Amino acid sequence: MAIESLENKIHQAGGPLRMLRGARAGAHPFPIPPQFTTWQDEQKSWRETAVLFEQRHMTDVYFEGPDVRRLLSDVAVNSFAAFGPMKAKQLIVCNEEGQYIGDAILFGLGVEKVSLVGGPVAANWVSFQAERGGYDVAISRDENALVNTGERLVFRYQVQGPRALDIVSAAHGAPLPRIKFFNIGAFDIAGVRVQALNHTMVGVPGQERTGLEIWGPAGSGPRVLEALLTAGEQYGLRQGGAIAYSTTALESGWFGLVVPGIYAGGATKAYREWLPARGLEAGASLGGSFASDDIDDYVPTPYDLGYANIIKFDHDFIGGEALRRIKTEPHRRKVWLRWNREDVTRLLGDALHSPEQDRPRYLQIPYGVYATFQYDAILHAGRVVGISNRTGYTVNVGAWSSLAMIDEELAADGTEVTVLWGDPQGARLRPAVESPHALREVRAVVSTRPLA
């Protein structure tokens, strides 16, 4: 059988879990240099001065036509009552059962034109619904640099930190126009007309306007970058590399990559047949100590990810009936876990010095994720109570930490839990996971607020 679609690939692998567990992909890569100074210096800069990240890893998908607004309203959990040109929002999509599929930033570029920017999962789902539903919408894609065989259409730079606005103002040569949070503005840098979204991907407590995401025509990107870097010299601007970038979500609390609700069930079969066999969804890997034979145990709802405030029932949308039904049911909650310092130190040392048969899975510093979807089991009183997802270290937290989804009754500051570190299935199926290695328990403390 020719492997032409995700559905074909799942069938050949013997099921979605066997496909994901056996995939060779590691953590999602970022196509920029690893470091420009040091990852520690770059992490510190977004807290104390500012950092500039180039975002070539993002996919831009454009939807244009008279049915754009109706399409978005039909597929997204968000309300569009106040959405329009020069506004943005975090768009979230689900399947019919209310299971999370993906999210991306939605940019209002015109009355009938928007773009979805981020990972391709959410945009792929919206594209499928647009085609299947016969909406009068044209779709065009600006693929990310990891898969783009031609030239990118736009450049995209993120300037974040307490001096971000000073730096961009200096590059502009005058005070910036007032841009409200999650709104879009336009101005010139180095003679290039650019647009900018006011939002934060790292966050500085007490400061709403901590960053701008700036984009424009790709051919002008180098000129704008040079102007930003030159203007930033007096403010301590650092250019951020892939190592530091991978740790930003540990502070902001954005999960980003969790198993989407597309891999099983009749309701999404047509979508699996539509998706290619070489896309992110088909090549993604699943790693970690959390183990279940049911793919649904890996798929969260938006409630589990902390998106309850984004779901609005002022419109009918895919998954809306299910989300309304389960709204009052118990959910897992998004929390941060601060890992025990002594346990982390012991884990790092044992990975280097223990006998091979007792050696734990290596904890890569500063970002310990080694699969597309990282799922480590969280234990409390001898039972599994949640999933630890992104994990790593930032100098701003000053400790090893992770993002997690945990049973609601345990989502309280100070709750003590245990993270089970290791990947027994991966050691058998994936060459990138050490075999053999020993599972290790790491103590951790729950925080309902960002650790930085």
Side-chain angles (χ1 to χ4, degrees):
M1 179 181 68
I3 304 178
E4 298 175 347
S5 69
L6 172 61
E7 180 72 0
N8 293 152
K9 191 169 183 179
I10 290 173
H11 182 75
Q12 186 189 63
L17 285 173
R18 289 185 62 86
M19 183 191 75
L20 294 169
R21 283 287 184 186
R24 293 173 176 264
H28 190 67
F30 300 105
I32 54 178
Q35 302 175 101
F36 287 89
T37 53
T38 68
W39 59 262
Q40 297 97 325
D41 180 57
E42 292 163 16
Q43 286 179 344
K44 186 169 64 173
S45 68
W46 69 62
R47 178 80 171 188
E48 297 182 354
T49 55
V51 67
L52 184 151
F53 288 115
E54 184 178 358
Q55 297 182 305
R56 288 181 288 167
H57 65 284
M58 290 188 175
T59 300
D60 297 50
V61 182
Y62 299 88
F63 301 86
E64 185 171 10
D67 286 346
V68 161
R69 193 180 187 91
R70 182 167 67 89
L71 168 67
L72 296 173
S73 183
D74 288 349
V75 302
V77 309
N78 310 72
S79 172
F80 292 91
F83 182 76
M86 306 303 282
K87 294 182 179 293
K89 63 172 63 223
Q90 184 181 7
L91 182 126
I92 297 167
V93 292
C94 297
N95 64 21
E96 291 284 359
E97 286 75 39
Q99 295 175 316
Y100 170 88
I101 287 181
D103 66 89
I105 302 300
L106 176 70
F107 291 77
L109 303 179
V111 175
E112 296 184 350
K113 183 176 182 179
V114 301
S115 65
L116 272 176
V117 179
V121 177
N124 289 344
W125 176 258
V126 177
S127 298
F128 169 73
Q129 299 299 335
E131 293 182 13
R132 185 179 72 164
Y135 294 87
D136 187 359
V137 171
I139 304 169
S140 58
R141 300 176 69 99
D142 189 9
E143 299 291 354
N144 67 72
L146 295 166
V147 299
N148 198 328
T149 57
E151 295 293 328
R152 290 272 293 163
L153 299 178
V154 300
F155 69 81
R156 193 173 295 276
Y157 303 129
Q158 187 84 27
V159 184
Q160 291 284 329
R163 305 311 299 268
L165 297 184
D166 295 326
I167 292 165
V168 180
S169 294
H172 171 54
L176 292 176
R178 173 65 177 169
I179 307 172
K180 294 181 179 180
F181 188 64
F182 250 72
N183 278 242
I184 299 168
F187 48 88
D188 294 333
I189 295 180
V192 178
R193 194 64 173 173
V194 302
Q195 291 183 293
L197 170 66
N198 179 354
H199 82 111
T200 177
M201 54 179 276
V202 289
V204 177
Q207 297 187 33
E208 179 188 84
R209 301 182 70 205
T210 57
L212 293 174
E213 183 172 318
I214 301 167
W215 72 95
S220 301
R223 194 188 331 165
V224 173
L225 177 61
E226 181 181 4
L228 289 168
L229 293 175
T230 299
E233 289 178 358
Q234 62 180 312
Y235 297 104
L237 175 67
R238 295 290 187 267
Q239 195 166 0
I243 296 175
Y245 191 92
S246 66
T247 66
T248 57
L250 295 170
E251 297 187 20
S252 70
W254 181 63
F255 281 92
L257 288 169
V258 295
V259 177
I262 64 171
Y263 291 107
T268 54
K269 182 179 180 181
Y271 182 54
R272 294 192 298 274
E273 293 172 338
W274 180 86
L275 282 172
R278 294 184 178 274
L280 185 150
E281 298 91 340
S285 61
L286 174 62
S289 62
F290 181 81
S292 172
D293 294 329
D294 186 351
I295 185 67
D296 284 341
D297 289 339
Y298 294 83
V299 181
T301 71
Y303 296 117
D304 301 325
L305 298 171
Y307 293 146
N309 63 315
I310 296 177
I311 302 170
K312 303 298 181 185
F313 297 109
D314 61 353
H315 63 297
D316 294 326
F317 60 91
I318 297 173
E321 184 177 339
L323 290 175
R324 191 188 298 271
R325 185 178 65 251
I326 65 177
K327 179 179 179 180
T328 58
E329 296 177 0
H331 305 288
R332 285 181 169 162
R333 278 190 58 191
K334 179 180 81 172
V335 297
W336 286 258
L337 299 181
R338 184 186 293 269
W339 291 26
N340 180 274
R341 180 174 299 183
E342 289 74 23
D343 288 0
V344 170
T345 301
R346 186 179 306 111
L347 186 64
L348 290 168
D350 287 352
L352 299 175
H353 304 301
S354 290
E356 184 177 13
Q357 64 273 15
D358 192 42
R359 191 173 299 162
R361 173 78 177 84
Y362 177 61
L363 193 64
Q364 181 171 301
I365 302 173
Y367 191 55
V369 173
Y370 54 89
T372 312
F373 309 129
Q374 185 78 27
Y375 275 58
D376 291 309
I378 302 172
L379 309 176
H380 184 269
R383 64 185 181 91
V384 176
V385 296
I387 294 164
S388 174
N389 185 248
R390 293 179 180 242
T391 181
Y393 175 92
T394 77
V395 296
N396 304 314
V397 175
W400 199 274
S401 65
S402 63
L403 291 177
M405 292 172 275
I406 197 168
D407 289 353
E408 205 163 25
E409 67 270 18
L410 298 174
D413 293 328
T415 301
E416 296 182 359
V417 296
T418 299
V419 178
L420 188 61
W421 177 252
D423 192 350
Q425 295 190 53
R428 296 193 304 271
L429 297 172
R430 298 173 56 215
V433 178
E434 302 99 314
S435 179
H437 71 260
L439 288 170
R440 292 293 177 87
E441 294 187 354
V442 181
R443 292 169 292 172
V445 175
V446 171
S447 175
T448 58
R449 297 180 296 275
L451 297 174

